[in-house]
Amino acid sequence: MASVDTSLHFDVEKIRADFPILKRKVNDKPLVYFDNAATSQTPQQVIDVIVDYYSRYNANIHRGVHALSQEATDAYEQARIKIQKHFNIPNAYQTLFTSGTTHGINMVASGFASILEAGDEVIVSALEHHSNIVPWQMLCEKTGAQLKVIPMLENGTLDMQAFDRLLSEKTKLVFVNHVSNALGTVNPIEELISKTHNVGGAVLVDGAQAAPHIKADLQALDVDFYVVSAHKMCGPTGVGMLYGKEEWLTKLPPYQGGGEMIDQVTFEKTTYAGLPHKFEAGTPNICGGIAFGAALDYMNAIGFDQIAEYEHELLEYATSRLKAIDGLRIYGDIPNKTAVISFNIKGVHPYDMGTILDKLGIAVRTGHHCAQPIMDFYKIPGTVRASFAFYNTKDEIDTLIAGVERARNMLV
Amino acid sequence: MKSIPEIQQEIVEEFEMFDDWMQRYEYMIELGKSLPLIDEKYKTDEYIIKGCQSKVWVHADLNEDKIEFTADSDAIITKGIIAILIRSFSGQPPQEILDADTSFIDKIGLKEHLSPTRANGLVSMIKQIKLYAVAYKAKAENS
């Protein structure tokens, strides 16, 4: 099968050389890393930034008058501006650092606890990650608001007609992911946002799975909140971003109390600091934030259009080869999706498939992908999920296909 | 009746015949097919072992002071692992089961399944088997 990547404009071997981890072996086999939707790998350029931070200017930010603190503060704030520009956010102070997507979602959910009232309605989609379901369930329990679910269709997309029926003037919030983590479906968020705004509701979009593939223009989307994680886009774990419209960020109360988020503290009353510090209590993941900025620099230097085009090529190649395997079913096989393939082979448990693939040095994700409602919909215990990044190759896909066939022969 | 260490040694020797992981896994899958299957009526949430990506059910009966285990799983490799465990523990007195160690799993080249963080639940299976032994031992002492 194809052994050479034909994309002239995209030198994948040069890109692969940036990722030291891709050289390692697993179970004496060259690593084939297809679990990018869980965590992407880190290029040397980002690793260097992390090493440089701890080697030269590790210090606490925003408070020291000494040189190291100033350097660290500058680098951290520069990273914030990089993230702001990347997502076309109006102001740096609307670009909040978080510990990741889950943290960002919880910040908004907790803020809305003081806004929602009994009788209000909150809508989530059936395609959500548990982290975008549980916080809203907790919020609804606390406030007496009602949780409604946009159902999914057999092809892995949202039932938008059902969404239209769920919307009403009671709808205060809609939570939906930009891209489904379990299936890769790209959701019609433009439509969801404009329709929700028409009834006066706000929308939070979980961009964790979209951000590595799609450069979202948050002003053009007119979205109220958008959350991402750095570790899905070549950055480190434990850091992410929450964007909020200024009116919302001003209105929502702080998420947690502590240093950085205060203006004046007396035992009678504390006044909160302005944005973004109101939401950034305590010492943040300073190095992580700086490295997140470096990761965006790295990906932008390659170019998101190039990345998307190349990944789509990988997706189409893998899809056509997997479909040729007897008894294999792909869930959510639709044109508009990111480079994620969720599949099962008739009579093979995804756990068994994942175990054999691991022995062959191939890293995939198996299980319910923290999206149990989707698995319940298809009445399956889980799937095998192969998710591709721009540093993967068609050769690696050939290795996966051979591995899947070998496992199938062992297991069926 | 062979003792638990004797049975475990027997399993280790069987696995030593294979040169590579693939043959070992194939043998494990074979062993899974000989697993004494749990009665369908026990395949309920009450008998399910938590901590597994696949579903595992284990049931135990006391038969003349010895514990007989039956089990099942929806994943074939998991079924093989539980078959190996049950072969080593079934038909043994509770105290013997409680005293037994499980390092033979490492010796048969399945070390990766022993990690407590691995989602196959092997550690939970062993714990459940030992819990049955504790329960039947207590029952025997009280009666």
Side-chain angles (χ1 to χ4, degrees):
Chain A
M1 292 313 274
S3 57
V4 180
D5 285 295
T6 49
S7 335
L8 295 168
H9 50 283
F10 192 87
D11 187 351
V12 71
E13 286 311 319
K14 189 165 165 276
I15 287 168
R16 286 179 70 79
D18 290 335
F19 292 82
I21 206 166
L22 298 179
K23 294 182 191 80
R24 74 161 280 187
K25 291 192 164 185
V26 170
N27 292 320
D28 295 325
K29 309 277 193 317
L31 167 69
V32 172
Y33 188 77
F34 286 157
D35 194 19
N36 295 287
T39 289
S40 57
Q41 294 304 341
T42 317
Q44 191 62 50
Q45 288 85 338
V46 174
I47 298 170
D48 288 346
V49 166
I50 295 167
V51 172
D52 184 49
Y53 171 80
Y54 283 109
S55 311
R56 285 200 313 115
Y57 62 102
N58 175 29
N60 214 321
I61 54 170
H62 294 146
R63 42 199 114 181
V65 292
H66 58 81
L68 294 194
S69 171
Q70 195 54 54
E71 282 176 35
T73 305
D74 287 349
Y76 192 65
E77 291 307 320
Q78 273 164 22
R80 192 194 302 274
I81 291 167
K82 283 176 190 174
I83 300 164
Q84 176 210 340
K85 301 256 184 274
H86 177 84
F87 290 103
N88 192 27
I89 293 170
N91 300 292
Y93 59 78
Q94 290 168 271
T95 312
L96 309 181
F97 278 114
T98 64
S99 70
T101 299
T102 301
H103 180 206
I105 293 169
N106 276 283
M107 281 164 77
V108 177
S110 132
F112 267 91
S114 60
I115 291 173
L116 289 184
E117 291 167 3
D120 288 342
E121 289 180 359
V122 172
I123 299 176
V124 297
S125 96
L127 290 175
E128 296 310 299
H129 189 280
H130 294 165
S131 68
N132 207 14
I133 299 175
V134 181
W136 311 119
Q137 284 175 333
M138 289 162 66
L139 173 65
C140 287
E141 273 169 27
K142 208 184 282 182
T143 58
Q146 262 216 310
L147 193 68
K148 305 265 173 171
V149 181
I150 316 168
M152 62 182 280
L153 302 170
E154 187 67 26
N155 67 1
T157 62
L158 289 176
D159 183 345
M160 292 302 284
Q161 288 178 342
F163 174 66
D164 289 343
R165 290 193 294 274
L166 290 175
L167 269 182
S168 74
E169 72 285 353
K170 290 185 200 157
T171 308
K172 291 294 178 287
L173 280 165
V174 173
F175 308 104
V176 63
N177 52 31
H178 195 163
V179 168
S180 151
N181 75 308
L183 304 177
T185 313
V186 180
N187 287 316
I189 56 166
E190 294 84 353
E191 187 184 341
L192 285 153
I193 292 165
S194 70
K195 283 183 170 168
T196 308
H197 285 169
N198 285 343
V199 299
V203 180
L204 179 142
V205 172
D206 170 353
Q209 292 297 331
H213 314 284
I214 300 165
K215 189 168 178 167
D217 179 333
L218 301 188
Q219 286 190 73
L221 280 175
D222 196 28
V223 66
D224 301 275
F225 301 97
Y226 197 85
V227 285
V228 300
S229 293
H231 71 273
K232 311 250 192 231
M233 38 195 326
C234 300
T237 55
V239 66
M241 185 275 297
L242 160 64
Y243 157 77
K245 277 188 180 168
E246 187 161 3
E247 63 201 82
W248 280 119
L249 294 182
T250 310
K251 202 170 167 186
L252 295 182
Y255 179 58
Q256 48 186 6
E260 286 264 21
M261 53 75 73
I262 44 87
D263 174 26
Q264 295 283 323
V265 176
T266 66
F267 280 106
E268 287 71 40
K269 179 159 178 65
T270 295
T271 52
Y272 303 127
L275 293 170
H277 306 295
K278 171 180 153 186
F279 290 102
E280 293 183 350
T283 298
N285 184 349
I286 302 165
C287 178
I290 297 168
F292 186 6
L296 289 179
D297 283 347
Y298 179 82
M299 291 187 75
N300 278 308
I302 296 169
F304 274 74
D305 289 345
Q306 282 74 14
I307 287 173
E309 195 184 325
Y310 178 72
E311 286 176 346
H312 192 72
E313 205 177 306
L314 292 179
L315 175 69
E316 286 197 327
Y317 180 67
T319 303
S320 70
R321 290 222 55 199
L322 282 168
K323 273 183 175 170
I325 295 175
D326 197 25
L328 189 140
R329 173 175 178 189
I330 294 175
Y331 299 92
D333 183 19
I334 49 158
N336 195 14
K337 64 185 278 198
T338 55
V340 170
I341 303 180
S342 230
F343 67 92
N344 273 328
I345 285 184
K346 201 168 190 286
V348 177
H349 195 283
Y351 171 78
D352 289 329
M353 177 62 71
T355 303
I356 301 294
L357 292 178
D358 174 56
K359 296 298 286 182
L360 296 166
I362 304 164
V364 292
R365 174 81 187 266
T366 62
H368 54 54
H369 317 296
C370 300
Q372 198 102 52
I374 300 179
M375 303 304 136
D376 292 346
F377 177 85
Y378 288 119
K379 299 189 176 60
I380 49 176
T383 68
V384 181
R385 183 188 70 184
S387 52
F388 312 117
F390 57 93
Y391 43 74
N392 289 130
T393 66
K394 288 183 184 173
D395 276 351
E396 290 181 306
I397 291 170
D398 290 343
T399 307
L400 171 72
I401 301 298
V404 169
E405 280 172 340
R406 196 168 167 185
R408 184 180 175 281
N409 291 340
M410 281 178 79
L411 298 166
V412 176
Chain B
M1 183 74 210
K2 289 175 190 148
S3 69
I4 293 177
E6 280 166 0
I7 298 168
Q8 291 182 346
Q9 185 54 35
E10 202 176 271
I11 298 172
V12 169
E13 281 164 19
E14 285 168 22
F15 273 85
E16 273 169 359
M17 295 190 300
F18 305 114
D19 304 326
D20 63 9
W21 69 268
M22 202 168 148
Q23 290 174 332
R24 282 198 294 273
Y25 270 68
E26 276 169 347
Y27 185 57
M28 186 159 64
I29 290 166
E30 273 312 302
L31 291 177
K33 291 174 187 161
S34 64
L35 173 73
L37 283 182
I38 190 167
D39 192 315
E40 285 293 319
K41 71 179 178 203
Y42 297 125
K43 278 172 92 167
T44 60
D45 284 351
E46 202 184 330
Y47 295 94
I48 212 158
I49 293 180
K50 296 216 162 55
C52 308
Q53 246 190 43
S54 48
K55 285 186 176 158
V56 181
W57 301 268
V58 178
H59 184 255
D61 276 314
L62 197 65
N63 186 6
E64 293 178 2
D65 301 336
K66 292 182 177 134
I67 303 181
E68 303 284 352
F69 291 99
T70 53
D72 201 2
S73 171
D74 58 348
I76 194 165
I77 292 174
T78 314
K79 212 164 152 174
I81 295 171
I82 191 86
I84 290 168
L85 285 179
I86 284 186
R87 186 170 142 200
S88 123
F89 292 121
S90 214
Q92 300 290 340
Q95 190 59 49
E96 300 292 309
I97 294 169
L98 286 174
D99 294 342
D101 90 339
T102 48
S103 56
F104 78 108
I105 297 283
D106 189 356
K107 288 186 201 139
I108 59 179
L110 298 174
K111 191 183 175 189
E112 65 263 29
H113 293 282
L114 274 176
S115 158
T117 53
R118 196 163 172 113
N120 66 21
L122 175 58
V123 173
S124 313
M125 290 179 212
I126 295 171
K127 195 173 151 195
Q128 188 59 44
I129 286 170
K130 297 231 174 190
L131 279 174
Y132 272 120
V134 170
Y136 278 121
K137 187 174 171 248
K139 207 174 162 189
E141 283 165 1
N142 289 336
S143 60

